[in-house]
Amino acid sequence: MIKVLVFGMTETPGGVESVIMNYYRHIDRTRIQFDFLCNSYEKVAYEAELLALGGHTFHFPARSKNYPRYRLELKCFFREHAAEYAVIWVNICSLANIDYLKLAAQYGIPKRIIHSHSSANMDGRLRGLLHQHNKKQIGRFATDFWACSAEAAGWFYPSEICSQAVILHNAIDVQCMAYDENGRENIRRQLGWQNQFVIGNVGRLHFEKNQRFALEVMAALVRKDRSVRLVLVGQGEDESELREQIFRKGLQEYVYMAGVQSNIRDWLSSFDLFLFPSVFEGLPVAAMEAQANGVPVLASEDVIPDEVRMNKNIKMLSLQQPPEIWAEAVCEMKEWFVRENPEDIWEHFIQSGYEIEHVKDEFEQRILGEKA
């Protein structure tokens, strides 16, 4: 059995965390075992499950909070433990910090995978500059270059590396996200929204996910139809600002902020429409899970790549269109868009290569070095 050191788990369950967990749950753990570097002293998402599956978590401070201690603890860890690992798998959305790869190279971890999960800068100007600087030298420290999509590879890597990058699908467990009638009824009963048209969004509360625009759409919708409701599932930096926006627009009766939820299948099942107005994505896991559930999706143009539009009940709109146009689109979809048939969904995911049981073998082969 080989041991893999994984970076990418944070305190908040999001898209990257879901990708890591989907592969970890389905690989042959008698051949491959994961341990996790966590840049927080708090428990990370799914930590209890990580430990139950046989992994270990190693916590250290975030670089931004205590840089001297971060450097000291990280260097001590690699000096003492690097020899235990054949592979490091670094899952990030920006190259602003590649210390993990540098130390892995310095202390002799032979296979060093960098995995891009975004197609644009999600952070501020400084981190954007750091990304561009490290982009020029990433080839010195990583041995393998992965990305969730061609767009993510193109933004992340210099051209000479981009051409050799491996596109590894953000595959999901379709059955785990399949529509569940009992889950739908339970959530809607809890909310007291059994007879409402419920719109949902799942994701980190962050400008990239554009929940602020979703609230603008909701304000326009309420003027047309007071039976609509919106659920925002997730947490993040924009939470207080979004709450203020809800209050300012008088949407308290119409919007529910659910926070972090573990039963995403039930929440997706409770939705009548999935609203996905992201500014940009690498490859949107939340939209993939929504499609696995079969719920109709209204998304911003060019965010869900053509190859991962699994279902027919998806409508795309430009973010250049005002919220009122998005509200009209919701009203139209309310009239005639229905949930996709589960058997069709299953076939779509398998044929497209995004069902985890059908792609985990390739992942294992790449980790083990059995596939170039």
Side-chain angles (χ1 to χ4, degrees):
M1 181 180 73
I2 73 163
K3 292 180 70 176
V4 179
L5 187 60
V6 180
F7 180 82
M9 301 301 291
T10 70
E11 297 172 32
T12 305
V16 174
E17 292 80 4
S18 293
V19 171
I20 294 170
M21 291 306 301
N22 282 333
Y23 279 104
Y24 191 32
R25 289 167 180 146
H26 290 85
I27 58 172
D28 181 352
R29 291 186 299 279
T30 65
R31 301 178 71 202
I32 302 169
Q33 185 52 262
F34 288 175
D35 287 344
F36 300 86
L37 276 178
C38 312
N39 64 342
S40 169
Y41 287 134
E42 302 297 323
K43 287 185 178 181
V44 294
Y46 310 105
E47 181 145 356
E49 185 177 0
L50 300 179
L51 301 177
L53 292 174
H56 298 87
T57 56
F58 300 97
H59 293 261
F60 56 95
R63 183 171 73 166
S64 60
K65 293 185 177 180
N66 191 333
Y67 182 74
R69 189 170 181 179
Y70 155 85
R71 284 293 300 173
L72 176 63
E73 292 190 13
L74 201 59
K75 192 166 186 176
C76 286
F77 173 86
F78 277 94
R79 184 172 60 242
E80 295 174 11
H81 297 286
E84 301 170 19
Y85 298 98
V87 181
I88 184 170
W89 177 32
V90 178
N91 296 269
I92 49 180
C93 295
S94 163
L95 290 169
N97 182 4
I98 59 172
D99 291 345
Y100 323 102
L101 285 171
K102 289 180 178 180
L103 287 166
Q106 180 181 343
Y107 287 98
I109 297 180
K111 190 178 184 71
R112 302 181 296 277
I113 304 165
I114 181 75
H115 192 160
S116 166
H117 289 273
S118 185
S119 59
N121 182 26
M122 296 168 55
D123 302 300
R125 183 173 180 272
L126 176 58
R127 287 181 63 83
L129 292 172
L130 288 170
H131 172 84
Q132 293 301 325
H133 172 74
N134 288 330
K135 182 175 179 177
K136 299 173 185 176
Q137 57 176 343
I138 189 64
R140 293 170 50 199
F141 304 108
T143 60
D144 295 73
F145 307 91
W146 294 1
C148 61
S149 66
E151 291 81 3
W155 177 69
F156 219 71
Y157 301 122
S159 57
E160 65 273 15
I161 288 177
C162 184
S163 60
Q164 59 178 292
V166 170
I167 306 302
L168 186 76
H169 289 169
N170 284 356
I172 68 171
D173 187 332
V174 175
Q175 294 292 355
C176 280
M177 290 295 158
Y179 175 73
D180 182 77
E181 183 68 27
N182 289 332
R184 175 182 174 85
E185 292 178 0
N186 288 339
I187 296 292
R188 293 169 74 95
R189 189 183 307 113
Q190 290 172 27
L191 297 174
W193 290 353
Q194 295 95 321
N195 300 316
Q196 312 301 329
F197 185 82
V198 180
I199 301 165
N201 174 274
V202 178
R204 179 181 169 196
L205 304 181
H206 187 264
F207 85 90
E208 170 202 5
K209 306 299 183 181
N210 210 14
Q211 286 95 350
R212 281 173 283 186
F213 186 78
L215 292 177
E216 295 289 345
V217 174
M218 192 63 188
L221 264 171
V222 168
R223 292 194 290 269
K224 296 174 175 288
D225 183 351
R226 292 188 176 271
S227 72
V228 294
R229 298 292 186 271
L230 174 66
V231 176
L232 301 180
V233 178
Q235 67 181 29
E237 301 91 321
D238 286 359
E239 181 172 348
S240 60
E241 184 177 334
L242 292 169
R243 290 189 183 278
E244 289 175 10
Q245 187 179 355
I246 291 168
F247 181 79
R248 192 169 59 251
K249 292 186 173 295
L251 295 174
Q252 300 94 315
E253 178 185 346
Y254 303 96
V255 180
Y256 178 69
M257 296 189 71
V260 173
Q261 298 291 333
S262 58
N263 55 337
I264 295 300
R265 174 184 185 173
D266 292 350
W267 284 93
L268 289 171
S269 298
S270 76
F271 300 157
D272 298 299
L273 185 141
F274 190 81
L275 183 61
F276 198 68
S278 292
V279 178
F280 57 84
E281 296 273 352
L283 198 152
V285 174
M288 298 288 287
E289 292 176 344
Q291 289 183 88
N293 188 267
V295 61
V297 176
L298 176 60
S300 43
E301 277 182 351
D302 302 323
V303 168
I304 302 180
D306 289 342
E307 68 269 22
V308 293
R309 295 183 197 176
M310 304 295 173
N311 302 338
K312 297 177 181 177
N313 58 349
I314 296 180
K315 183 177 178 65
M316 315 298 288
L317 269 182
S318 170
L319 288 174
Q320 300 302 313
Q321 296 286 357
E324 290 75 15
I325 298 298
W326 281 68
E328 289 178 12
V330 171
C331 292
E332 291 173 5
M333 294 176 72
K334 181 181 176 183
E335 294 301 318
W336 61 275
F337 270 47
V338 296
R339 265 190 157 78
E340 195 81 0
N341 181 285
E343 293 181 1
D344 292 339
I345 294 170
W346 179 252
E347 288 300 320
H348 296 162
F349 271 83
I350 291 174
Q351 291 171 8
S352 300
Y354 284 91
E355 206 292 314
I356 191 68
E357 283 293 339
H358 289 75
V359 299
K360 67 179 178 66
D361 289 346
E362 178 187 353
F363 175 81
E364 291 180 2
Q365 290 166 8
R366 292 195 181 281
I367 288 287
L368 293 167
E370 296 172 353
K371 186 169 186 176

